[in-house]
């Protein structure tokens, strides 16, 4: 019977210990509409995004579950993607989470762009055609309701008729951040 001997075990142990200490420094990746993100008038982007995703029946806003779609379409791949990023970055958790965050921002933006249902109401379409910059008031909304009820048909095309992307502000507000286990936000550079 042959005898096998191994040498260099100390070097392997040091390497594994170094990798273990890098991975032990974890972090949290947050993707979506981060606190403090607002429209020019001060309206909270996270609040608007949640309202659009889940709907607000009392306000006549149907659900357009873009965030749910983002998760359903992509979440099965996130674990494997992160594993590849960790391996490719020599197990640099912060770097891997930053790269992962950039990719997930794109995935969420794609889900927003691809959301077309349910279509916008005729009142919303009329308001968009009359007030391209969105600077209408409550009286304008009531007038649009009356005009639609009287048979006026709005004409809108392109982003004016598309849910979720009219001004582009919500789409451009999608962001991410990496927070270390110590609670420090990591700069994405």
């Amino acid at each position: 019977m042959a005898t096998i001997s191994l040498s260099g075990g100390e070097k392997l142990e040091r390497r594994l210990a170094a990798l273990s200490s890098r991975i032990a420094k974890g972090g949290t990746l947050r993707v979506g509409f981060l606190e403090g993100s607002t429209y020019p008038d001060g309206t909270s982007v996270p609040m608007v995004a949640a309202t659009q995703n889940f709907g607000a029946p009392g306000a006549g806003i149907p659900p357009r579950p873009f965030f749910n779609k983002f998760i359903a379409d992509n979440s099965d791949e996130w674990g494997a993607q992160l594993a590849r990023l960790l391996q490719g970055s020599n197990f640099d958790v912060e770097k891997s989470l930053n790269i992962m965050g950039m990719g997930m921002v794109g995935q969420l933006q794609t889900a927003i762009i691809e959301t077309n249902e349910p279509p916008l109401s005729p009142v919303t379409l009329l308001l968009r055609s009359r007030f391209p910059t969105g600077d209408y008031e409550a009286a304008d909304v009531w007038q649009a309701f009356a005009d639609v009820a009287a048979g006026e048909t709005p004409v809108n095309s392109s982003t004016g008729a598309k849910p979720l992307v009219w001004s582009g502000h919500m789409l451009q507000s999608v962001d991410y951040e990496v927070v270390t286990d110590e609670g420090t936000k990591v700069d994405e550079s």
Side-chain angles (χ1 to χ4, degrees):
M1 183 182 294
T3 304
I4 299 174
S5 67
L6 296 174
S7 62
E10 302 82 28
K11 190 174 184 180
L12 175 62
E13 282 184 33
R14 285 193 305 273
R15 175 74 174 140
L16 290 174
L19 284 175
S20 176
S21 70
R22 292 187 86 170
I23 293 174
K25 296 176 186 176
T28 300
L29 172 61
R30 298 177 58 217
V31 177
F33 306 94
L34 304 179
E35 300 89 25
S37 177
T38 61
Y39 284 89
D41 69 355
T43 302
S44 165
V45 174
M47 181 198 66
V48 170
T51 301
Q52 289 296 322
N53 188 74
F54 298 109
I61 301 171
R64 293 184 173 92
F66 66 91
F67 210 97
N68 303 45
K69 179 178 173 25
F70 155 66
I71 293 168
D73 289 354
N74 300 290
S75 62
D76 288 348
E77 299 296 322
W78 292 335
Q81 289 170 352
L82 182 58
R84 285 191 299 273
L85 289 169
L86 284 165
Q87 194 172 28
S89 70
N90 196 26
F91 298 93
D92 184 326
V93 174
E94 291 174 6
K95 181 176 183 178
S96 297
L97 289 177
N98 271 300
I99 294 169
M100 187 82 183
M102 287 184 260
M104 291 174 74
V105 163
Q107 292 171 342
L108 181 50
Q109 288 172 326
T110 297
I112 292 168
I113 292 167
E114 291 177 349
T115 298
N116 293 306
E117 297 295 329
L120 297 174
S121 76
V123 170
T124 300
L125 292 172
L126 190 58
L127 287 166
R128 286 185 175 190
S129 67
R130 289 180 179 172
F131 303 96
T133 59
D135 56 347
Y136 53 84
E137 298 178 6
D140 301 314
V141 175
W142 292 115
Q143 184 61 54
F145 270 108
D147 293 343
V148 167
E152 186 168 341
T153 304
V155 177
N156 248 321
S157 61
S158 187
T159 59
K162 181 158 180 6
L164 305 178
V165 296
W166 183 30
S167 72
H169 192 87
M170 185 174 76
L171 184 68
Q172 296 305 316
S173 295
V174 177
D175 203 358
Y176 79 96
E177 69 181 7
V178 175
V179 180
T180 66
D181 285 346
E182 296 83 32
T184 306
K185 290 182 183 177
V186 178
D187 189 13
E188 55 193 71
S189 52

